């Protein structure tokens, strides 16, 4: 960079807009024009094209403002190829569904119909998300807490390990959904049965991974802590648990994925609310637009929760950053 | 600096050790493997004793017994007259691997002993003092994986010293360092010992290191270890490696270790 040695304020001349983002704005504008001008039978075509034009305007503003953004925020410009690809995909989807009818309804849905679902049914979708998140959070919190404590006890105490190991070996491989009939029969409400199933699905991997983490803690760490005057309580809290934490997080990630599967099945089978129930309901009424919308919402929900867990891990295991790549 | 605890009980800064007829064996594939056979010696408070012997002869086992990490099969080790049965922060070990806790910063690693003993409120200032003493004053907030081997071992030393040990047990602490770092740390450890007056036991298989650092060198045989010689090093500090006195002693010690043919 030859000009970086010169003071920046010497050049008051305006910076050129980001070319990649400018191109993305142009492609979005073109997609908007295509949606608006080519006539079709669907509802919400105007609204969709307005939103697409809005995105084009936002992108061109970003392209103009981009060179003045701080370096951290300026990283968004690397998403320009994705923005272009999304616009192209949207236009292609629009053409093969709403414009030409190449993919038949009702199984295939044009983008504006999905948009219509969000416009008409957003309150119900929101309620379902809230319900699913509450159910998932209850089951997952319960399961991972119990799983962690179980794993810790299995790894720390010989007696618990002796009795617990065979039980875990037998029950561990059983899919949590296999418990479904028993759970709905045994528990007073379908909600508590679902919490039990999600807790089981998430707790087992957490228990097994915590246990393996605890048993792989090097003896030298304990020697050090003991010679420095550490009590057994100190050894558990300050040696065993932090040393096992990387394994615990592997278990937490596995448990989270397992809990998504069980959540949907439980909501489809017994619980009369949530995204799984919405999916089932939409399929029953052949409301495929609603189904796709619920799937999209579910994808966003699950990936946000995984991202959240990544954030927690990044914060708690910051010390690992120099040791391994992720 | 006078430690109030020491002043009250009028104990010297260094610990007296009596090692009395210790025998110890490991179980290897169902058979007992004797590692220490009838080892006895005494250590005066404030002495710097090097335990020298071929690798695998059982010196490190002896240190584990003295640290209280394991009980001996037979015999007894006594610290200031009391039998050693459990670990105690007055007897601190520095191992060959620094074994810093990777999830703690250097400062938090050094704080470990104070945390374990519940002394963080009253003696937290000792942490930075200890880091300064080993030359890591600027590295408190760094994680162990960012340290070089020598710095990591210095941090391990600070973690030991922060507890004001009366016995410092060094188990080949410099064994994995490059030769220059090793030489400078040999002098640093001697300086710390001379300043604070704790008793030091150093296990090593480096003859020159033992002669340069210790006031007394105890030579062990091959496994099962017994004592073959107990040599006082009558040289004041600071010592010089080129001193012809060491060259003579070195030849004698190599002879005891069965290496005289190559000398």
């Amino acid at each position: 960079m030859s000009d970086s040695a010169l003071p920046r304020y010497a050049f008051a001349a305006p910076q050129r807009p980001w070319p990649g983002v400018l191109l993305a704005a142009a492609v979005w504008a073109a997609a908007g024009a295509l949606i608006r001008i080519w006539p079709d039978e669907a509802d919400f075509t105007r609204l969709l094209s307005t939103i697409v034009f809005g995105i084009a305007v936002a992108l061109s503003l970003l392209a103009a403002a981009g060179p003045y953004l701080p370096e951290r925020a300026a990283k968004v410009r690397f998403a320009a190829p994705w923005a272009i690809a999304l616009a192209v995909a949207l236009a292609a989807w629009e053409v093969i569904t709403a414009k030409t009818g190449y993919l038949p309804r009702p199984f295939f849905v044009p983008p504006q119909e999905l948009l219509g679902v969000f416009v008409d049914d957003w309150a119900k979708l929101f309620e379902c998300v809230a319900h699913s998140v509450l159910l998932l959070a209850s089951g997952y919190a319960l399961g991972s807490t119990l799983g962690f404590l179980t794993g810790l006890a299995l790894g720390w105490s010989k007696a618990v390990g002796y009795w617990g190991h065979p039980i875990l070996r037998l029950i561990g491989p059983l899919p949590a959904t296999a418990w479904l009939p028993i759970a709905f029969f045994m528990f007073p409400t379908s909600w508590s049965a679902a919490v039990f199933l999600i807790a089981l699905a998430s707790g087992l991997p957490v228990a097994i991974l915590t246990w393996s983490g605890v048993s792989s803690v090097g003896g030298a760490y304990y020697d050090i802590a003991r010679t420095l005057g550490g009590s057994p309580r100190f050894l558990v809290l300050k040696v065993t648990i932090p040393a096992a934490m990387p394994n615990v997080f592997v278990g937490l990630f596995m448990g989270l994925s397992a809990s998504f599967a069980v959540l949907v099945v439980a909501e489809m089978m017994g619980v009369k609310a949530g995204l799984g129930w919405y999916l089932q309901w939409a399929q029953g009424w052949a409301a495929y637009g609603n189904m796709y919308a619920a799937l999209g919402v579910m994808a966003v929900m699950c990936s946000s929760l995984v991202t959240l867990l990544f954030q927690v891990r990044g914060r708690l295991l910051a010390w690992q950053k120099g040791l391994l790549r992720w | 600096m006078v430690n109030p605890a020491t002043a009250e009980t009028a104990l010297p800064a260094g610990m007296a050790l009596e090692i009395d007829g210790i025998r110890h064996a490991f179980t290897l594939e169902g058979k007992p493997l004797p590692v220490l056979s009838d080892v006895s010696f005494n250590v005066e408070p404030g002495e710097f004793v090097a335990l020298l012997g071929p690798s695998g002869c059982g010196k490190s086992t002896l240190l584990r017994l003295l640290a209280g990490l394991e009980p001996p099969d037979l015999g007894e080790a006594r610290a200031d007259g009391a039998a050693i049965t459990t670990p105690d922060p007055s007897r601190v070990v520095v191992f060959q691997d620094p074994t810093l806790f990777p999830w703690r910063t250097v400062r938090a690693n050094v704080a470990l002993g104070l945390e374990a003993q519940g002394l963080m409120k009253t003696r937290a200032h000792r942490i930075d003092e200890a880091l300064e003493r080993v030359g890591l004053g600027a590295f408190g907030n760094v994680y162990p994986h960012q340290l070089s081997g020598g710095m990591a071992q210095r941090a391990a030393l600070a973690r030991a010293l922060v507890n004001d040990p009366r016995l410092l047990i060094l188990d080949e602490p410099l064994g994995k360092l490059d030769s220059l770092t090793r030489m400078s740390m040999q002098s640093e450890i001697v300086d710390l010992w001379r300043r604070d007056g704790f008793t030091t036991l150093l296990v090593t298989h480096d003859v020159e290191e033992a002669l340069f650092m210790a006031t007394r060198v105890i030579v062990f045989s091959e496994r099962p270890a017994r004592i073959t010689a107990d040599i006082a090093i009558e040289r004041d500090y600071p010592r010089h490696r080129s001193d012809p006195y060491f060259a003579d002693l070195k030849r004698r010690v190599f002879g005891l270790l069965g290496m005289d043919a190559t000398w």
Side-chain angles (χ1 to χ4, degrees):
Chain A
M1 291 278 221
S2 56
D3 59 353
S4 65
L6 295 164
R8 278 189 82 132
Y9 50 80
F11 299 91
Q15 306 269 331
R16 285 168 55 86
W18 283 336
V21 179
L22 213 52
L23 179 63
V27 177
W28 275 91
L34 180 136
I35 294 167
R36 176 69 64 97
I37 293 162
W38 191 336
D40 62 50
E41 305 282 287
D43 300 327
F44 294 107
T45 304
R46 266 189 88 81
L47 179 62
L48 179 67
S49 68
T50 308
I51 290 173
V52 171
F53 281 131
I55 291 171
V57 171
L59 282 171
S60 44
L61 288 176
L62 177 68
Y68 304 99
L69 290 178
E71 188 51 39
R72 269 180 72 89
K75 285 195 175 134
V76 295
R77 70 181 182 279
F78 298 121
W82 263 107
I84 294 169
L86 281 176
V88 171
L90 179 72
W93 177 12
E94 180 71 19
V95 168
I96 57 176
T97 53
K99 304 300 184 192
T100 62
Y102 178 75
L103 291 179
R105 293 202 204 191
F107 305 107
F108 297 95
V109 177
Q112 47 267 62
E113 198 177 317
L114 273 191
L115 186 64
V117 172
F118 288 114
V119 170
D120 292 337
D121 217 14
W122 65 270
K124 188 165 212 168
L125 272 171
F126 182 81
E127 200 191 307
C128 285
V129 170
H131 214 280
S132 288
V133 167
L134 182 67
L135 179 57
L136 189 74
S138 310
Y140 186 69
L142 183 70
S144 45
T145 307
L146 290 180
F148 175 74
L149 294 176
T150 307
L152 201 60
L154 283 167
W156 185 256
S157 151
K158 276 208 172 103
V160 177
Y162 174 83
W163 293 105
H165 182 198
I167 297 176
L168 216 56
R169 276 286 281 274
L170 185 70
I171 295 183
L174 201 62
T177 42
W179 292 86
L180 220 104
I182 299 178
F184 281 114
F185 168 72
M186 296 263 287
F187 281 83
T189 63
S190 58
W191 198 83
S192 55
V195 168
F196 164 76
L197 289 172
I198 293 168
L200 190 70
S202 54
L204 277 170
V206 174
I208 290 167
L209 267 294
T210 302
W211 175 23
S212 97
V214 169
S215 27
S216 63
V217 179
Y221 290 142
Y222 293 117
D223 285 348
I224 293 283
R226 284 173 64 206
T227 56
L228 295 175
S231 61
R233 182 186 141 87
F234 184 85
L235 297 191
V236 176
L237 292 180
K238 302 292 172 124
V239 183
T240 313
I241 290 178
M245 237 27 207
N247 273 7
V248 173
F249 267 96
V250 176
L252 286 173
F253 278 105
M254 290 168 62
L256 191 58
S257 322
S259 71
F260 294 150
V262 177
L263 170 76
V264 174
V265 176
E267 285 178 342
M268 284 178 170
M269 301 291 287
V271 185
K272 294 279 173 272
L275 285 171
W277 169 82
Y278 190 95
L279 273 176
Q280 187 87 336
W281 167 83
Q283 196 233 5
W285 288 95
Y288 294 101
N290 298 58
M291 233 173 77
Y292 288 118
L295 271 182
V297 169
M298 198 182 280
V300 171
M301 181 187 87
C302 295
S303 91
S304 306
L305 290 171
V306 170
T307 308
L308 185 70
L309 190 57
F310 263 110
Q311 295 286 332
V312 173
R313 176 170 86 161
R315 199 155 275 226
L316 277 179
L317 301 186
W319 57 271
Q320 268 200 319
K321 276 212 171 117
L323 299 178
L324 48 92
R325 301 230 150 263
W326 50 22
Chain B
M1 193 183 89
V2 177
N3 185 329
T6 321
E8 263 172 34
T9 49
L11 282 170
M15 182 180 276
L17 284 177
E18 295 160 79
I19 289 100
D20 191 0
I22 282 189
R23 285 164 199 273
H24 198 70
F26 289 133
T27 311
L28 198 69
E29 290 171 359
K31 276 180 279 183
L33 177 74
V35 284
L36 295 169
S37 92
D38 197 15
V39 173
S40 299
F41 60 93
N42 291 345
V43 178
E44 300 293 320
E47 263 193 301
F48 192 135
V49 179
L51 310 179
L52 192 63
S55 59
C57 78
K59 303 165 302 216
S60 297
T61 308
L62 181 60
L63 290 197
R64 288 183 68 80
L65 304 182
L66 294 178
L69 290 168
E70 285 170 47
D73 291 346
L74 220 68
E76 194 176 67
R78 287 182 292 273
D80 291 329
I84 295 173
T85 52
T86 53
D88 188 276
S90 66
R91 293 174 261 120
V92 179
V93 192
V94 176
F95 293 99
Q96 181 172 17
D97 287 309
T99 330
L100 298 171
F101 291 10
W103 57 89
R104 283 173 169 249
T105 60
V106 169
R107 178 176 286 107
N109 263 288
V110 174
L112 210 56
L114 299 182
E115 271 182 47
Q117 299 158 56
L119 296 173
M120 276 303 271
K121 282 207 178 113
T122 52
R123 297 181 49 195
H125 62 281
R126 304 273 293 117
I127 297 165
D128 285 309
E129 280 173 32
L131 282 170
E132 288 294 338
R133 278 162 79 194
V134 298
L136 288 179
F139 292 89
N141 295 325
V142 152
Y143 280 100
H145 67 84
Q146 294 165 283
L147 298 178
S148 69
M151 288 158 88
Q153 201 52 279
R154 282 199 179 91
L157 204 55
R159 177 173 64 187
L161 294 175
V162 86
N163 304 290
D164 291 321
R166 299 187 51 243
L167 172 64
L168 183 64
I169 301 176
L170 303 169
D171 188 0
E172 296 188 41
L174 311 178
K176 286 189 173 170
L177 303 182
D178 65 274
S179 56
L180 280 178
T181 309
R182 192 172 172 144
M183 282 191 202
S184 58
M185 283 194 68
Q186 287 170 355
S187 305
E188 285 166 31
I189 292 174
V190 167
D191 290 346
L192 290 168
W193 161 72
R194 287 180 60 199
R195 203 186 106 162
D196 290 2
F198 45 74
T199 307
T200 304
L201 281 182
L202 167 74
V203 155
T204 179
H205 51 240
D206 181 336
V207 176
E208 197 182 288
E209 181 171 287
L211 298 178
F212 177 73
M213 294 175 78
T215 54
R216 186 176 152 202
V217 175
I218 296 179
V219 185
F220 286 86
S221 68
E222 302 241 350
R223 194 182 56 235
R226 34 184 196 79
I227 296 172
T228 54
D230 192 335
I231 304 162
I233 315 290
E234 285 149 353
R235 271 293 186 271
D236 286 335
Y237 300 89
R239 292 173 174 176
H240 299 279
R241 291 171 206 274
S242 56
D243 190 335
Y245 172 81
F246 290 131
D248 289 342
L249 259 182
K250 212 162 153 181
R251 178 185 321 205
R252 191 177 145 205
V253 172
F254 271 118
L256 288 164
L257 293 168
M259 290 288 178
D260 35 356
T262 57
W263 202 254

